[in-house]
Amino acid sequence: MEEKYSLQSKDEFKSVVTEQCNHLQAVFASRYKKFDEFFKELLENAEKSLNDMFVKTYGHLYMQNSELFKDLFKELKRYYVVGNVNLEEMLNDFWARLLERMFRLVNSQYHFTDEYLECVSKYTEQLKPFGDVPRKLKLQITRAFVAARTFAQGLAVARDVVSKVSVVTPTAQCTQALLKMIYCSHCQGLVTVKPCYNYCSNIMRGCLANQGDLDSEWNNFIDAMLMVAERLEGPFNIESVMDPIDVKISDAIMNMQDNSVQVSQKVFQGCGPPKPLPAGRISRSISESAFSARFRPYHPEERPTTAAGTSLDQLVTDVKEKLKQAKKFWSSLPSNVCNDERMAAGNGNEDDCWNGKGKSRYLFAVTGNGLANQISNPEVQVDTSKPDTTILRQIMALRVMTNKMKNAYNGNDVDFFDISDESSGEGSGSGCEYQQCPSEFESNTTDHSGRNANDKANHAGARVGAQPYLLTVFCILFLVMQREWR
């Protein structure tokens, strides 16, 4: 009978804990699914919108060069799904390739070799043929995509952590305490008397001691998620970046058209005069590549809707509320288990409950949460020297994800966070060209290296100046060693 009740009490405990955790896991799983679907659909719609607009505006000319734009969206999708893309380099490459194509189109009377076009692409940054659009768009895309991808990752990590931690395996001491709490009252004929609330609390804190240690890192993680959520509502809103991306790219193309003469002259000066095409081919080339089309934007009602009309703001508002509710979940778990009527009497029924010995008030104080506090637990013997390895792994997973969140909050992608070369911040998602960042987006992002441009220049100068000195030292050492060998 005792063995039967022991197994039954253990199953009841695991069932109540699982129910509490399953609800939280379902919240994160459903929100992750919604965000993931939204982001993917947003990218699909942005690509479709650009394709439809450019076909109507530039026609055959766009169709001949459409793979350039398909590659852009392919890389953006790959970054969101896999993350193994340097966004900044990819966008620089897109504009360089676009310049090569357009330069050939606006100067269709000339023949350009691949080497010449490669020289042309080197002038992208210097000449700014597309105006300020590439710089602004690179800034907006890197920050928005880093925040969106990291936030979705965070929801998935939260879901997985809850899933793994919710699988509890009571120790022998915990099982013995559960048996005493739930069924030993039956031996005294107190079948309907439920355990005292504080009595239950001490046993749950002993049985869930390792879960309690998760709480601190979990709360830090939730706070970081809320910070990134604020960014998604404001300057890092991926919806406000991707929705008008077709308009922005077309603005850049028109800017190149308007400045094509000046840009061409400067390129010819830098790369040398190009070779003219034969007379017969010039007229045919011009007719084939006439680039006089002007951009004609769609009306708003023609734009496709995303995620069945759901906006990013609605999704973020909903998940922020769920995140706030999830805070302190693990420290509250013992109390929430005891709040279940199957496990204990209500808080107001302190004198008419089972205290482990009889029907009377429970007199012991309730111990704190976490492994270290269980030394003074009067109900459950807990080995405080052996933390649960599963819990430790989840603490580490939360810590890593929290750091990613903090980087995403500042516009930095941790996967491409370049700490070499004096932390120049030139990796993907490095945020922005920091001097312009606050005025343009009203954010507090700063250079993560903690140095301004002058400091870096001075440091670089110091390194250059030190080179002759180091060379002299090495020469002296070599002569000394040579004498020793003799």
Side-chain angles (χ1 to χ4, degrees), residues 56 167 201:
K56 288 187 176 183
V167 180
S201 295

Side-chain angles (χ1 to χ4, degrees), residues 459-468:
H459 184 75
R463 283 191 293 178
V464 173
Q467 288 175 358

Side-chain angles (χ1 to χ4, degrees), residues 302-335:
E302 294 182 70
R303 287 192 174 277
T305 56
T306 55
T310 304
S311 72
L312 182 61
D313 288 340
Q314 288 175 308
L315 288 174
V316 172
T317 300
D318 169 66
V319 83
K320 276 173 66 178
E321 188 61 34
K322 302 300 180 186
L323 285 168
K324 290 172 184 176
Q325 293 171 7
K327 200 168 181 182
K328 297 184 178 179
F329 175 81
W330 302 107
S331 59
S332 303
L333 184 58
S335 300

Side-chain angles (χ1 to χ4, degrees), residues 12-39:
E12 288 178 20
F13 164 71
K14 290 167 71 174
S15 175
V16 175
V17 171
T18 302
E19 283 177 18
Q20 294 283 336
C21 294
N22 280 354
H23 174 71
L24 185 64
Q25 184 189 351
V27 166
F28 282 112
S30 63
R31 269 55 185 186
Y32 168 74
K33 186 180 178 184
K34 284 183 179 179
F35 267 90
D36 188 56
E37 288 175 350
F38 177 85
F39 291 143

Side-chain angles (χ1 to χ4, degrees), residues 166-335:
S166 64
V167 180
V168 290
T169 306
T171 63
Q173 292 81 0
C174 170
T175 303
Q176 187 65 29
L178 289 168
L179 170 64
K180 181 182 175 183
M181 182 185 86
I182 301 173
Y183 288 111
C184 278
S185 58
H186 292 198
C187 298
Q188 296 186 23
L190 304 174
V191 179
T192 60
V193 178
K194 293 180 180 179
C196 298
Y197 184 84
N198 286 352
Y199 176 41
C200 173
S201 295
N202 269 336
I203 291 176
M204 292 307 140
R205 288 178 189 226
C207 291
L208 298 169
N210 285 286
Q211 281 77 0
D213 283 340
L214 195 69
D215 203 58
S216 177
E217 205 59 56
W218 175 264
N219 292 339
N220 292 338
F221 166 76
I222 295 294
D223 287 339
M225 287 282 287
L226 288 168
M227 286 168 59
V228 176
E230 289 178 9
R231 288 295 207 213
L232 287 174
E233 289 179 316
F236 296 6
N237 188 316
I238 192 172
E239 190 173 24
S240 64
V241 173
M242 292 308 297
D243 193 44
I245 194 171
D246 42 19
V247 178
K248 291 176 181 178
I249 292 176
S250 188
D251 284 344
I253 291 173
M254 286 193 290
N255 197 78
M256 170 64 184
Q257 285 180 259
D258 295 338
N259 298 298
S260 60
V261 176
Q262 299 95 308
V263 170
S264 298
Q265 287 174 351
K266 290 180 180 178
V267 169
F268 294 161
Q269 289 173 5
C271 298
K275 294 180 181 179
L277 286 171
R281 291 183 61 189
I282 289 176
S283 58
R284 185 170 69 252
S285 179
I286 292 174
S287 64
E288 287 176 355
S289 61
F291 204 74
S292 58
R294 305 297 290 180
F295 181 69
R296 183 173 54 84
Y298 273 179
H299 295 294
E301 62 269 15
E302 294 182 70
R303 287 192 174 277
T305 56
T306 55
T310 304
S311 72
L312 182 61
D313 288 340
Q314 288 175 308
L315 288 174
V316 172
T317 300
D318 169 66
V319 83
K320 276 173 66 178
E321 188 61 34
K322 302 300 180 186
L323 285 168
K324 290 172 184 176
Q325 293 171 7
K327 200 168 181 182
K328 297 184 178 179
F329 175 81
W330 302 107
S331 59
S332 303
L333 184 58
S335 300

